[in-house]
């Protein structure tokens, strides 16, 4: 009979890294689609700048909201933090000629997606790494 020998923690680490990559891809698609529809299609903001803004928002909110706040609190707190961070980022880094309300509406739509995304991250990534309040 064949037996498994050795330590397979390296495999678990590889799986977790792949889950992070897939989560970043999902989040990037979600943010990019929302910003392309609202900012590019409705307000004629350049598509290239929209993609750049999307990547910046995803990077900031994944580190701060998903890996930081969600790890130590709950989905509601992390979603509110992402809403604030996204609003400020779109308003300050995005097109300054647009009103704060456009940034807030964009962030609100992204925030709805973040609510479900946090559930995905809490169940698929954080639970595998270490215990969190969502477990």
């Amino acid at each position: 009979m064949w037996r498994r020998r050795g330590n397979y923690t390296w495999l678990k680490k590889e799986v977790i890294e792949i889950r992070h990559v897939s989560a970043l891809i999902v989040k990037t698609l979600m943010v990019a689609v929302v910003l392309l529809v609202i900012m590019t299609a409705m307000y004629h903001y350049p598509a290239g700048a929209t993609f750049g803004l999307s990547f910046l928002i995803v990077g900031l909110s994944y580190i701060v909201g998903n890996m930081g706040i969600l790890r130590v609190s709950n989905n509601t707190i992390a979603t509110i933090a992402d809403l604030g961070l996204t609003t400020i980022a779109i308003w300050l880094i995005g097109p300054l000629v647009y009103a704060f309300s456009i940034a807030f509406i964009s962030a609100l739509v992204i925030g709805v997606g973040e609510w479900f995304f946090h559930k995905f991250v809490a169940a698929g990534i954080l639970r595998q790494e270490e215990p969190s309040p969502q477990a």
Side-chain angles (χ1 to χ4, degrees):
M1 174 157 237
W2 181 61
R3 289 174 160 194
R4 293 183 181 189
R5 293 184 186 164
N7 187 353
Y8 291 101
T9 57
W10 62 272
L11 183 60
K12 183 178 178 184
K13 188 175 181 180
E14 296 285 328
V15 169
I16 290 172
E17 288 173 4
I18 290 170
R19 288 182 180 165
H20 280 290
V21 170
S22 64
L24 282 168
I25 290 170
V26 168
K27 187 173 183 109
T28 302
L29 288 172
M30 176 185 67
V31 171
V33 166
V34 168
L35 292 182
L36 281 170
V37 168
I38 293 175
M39 295 180 69
T40 301
M42 294 173 67
Y43 294 100
H44 309 293
Y45 189 63
T50 301
F51 279 114
L53 186 59
S54 297
F55 289 131
L56 185 67
I57 289 171
V58 167
L60 286 172
S61 69
Y62 192 76
I63 292 169
V64 173
N66 300 115
M67 295 295 103
I69 297 172
L70 184 61
R71 187 179 299 247
V72 297
S73 68
N74 61 27
N75 190 3
T76 304
I77 301 296
T79 302
I80 291 169
D82 275 339
L83 177 68
L85 179 72
T86 304
T87 301
I88 298 295
I90 294 171
W91 187 44
L92 294 179
I93 299 167
L96 292 175
V97 282
Y98 295 135
F100 178 79
S101 62
I102 295 169
F104 183 72
I105 290 168
S106 299
L108 195 60
V109 174
I110 292 170
V112 170
E114 289 284 346
W115 175 266
F116 297 103
F117 182 74
H118 290 159
K119 291 181 179 292
F120 167 73
V121 169
I125 296 173
L126 296 181
R127 185 172 290 155
Q128 302 298 324
E129 288 181 353
E130 63 186 42
S132 70
Q134 291 78 15

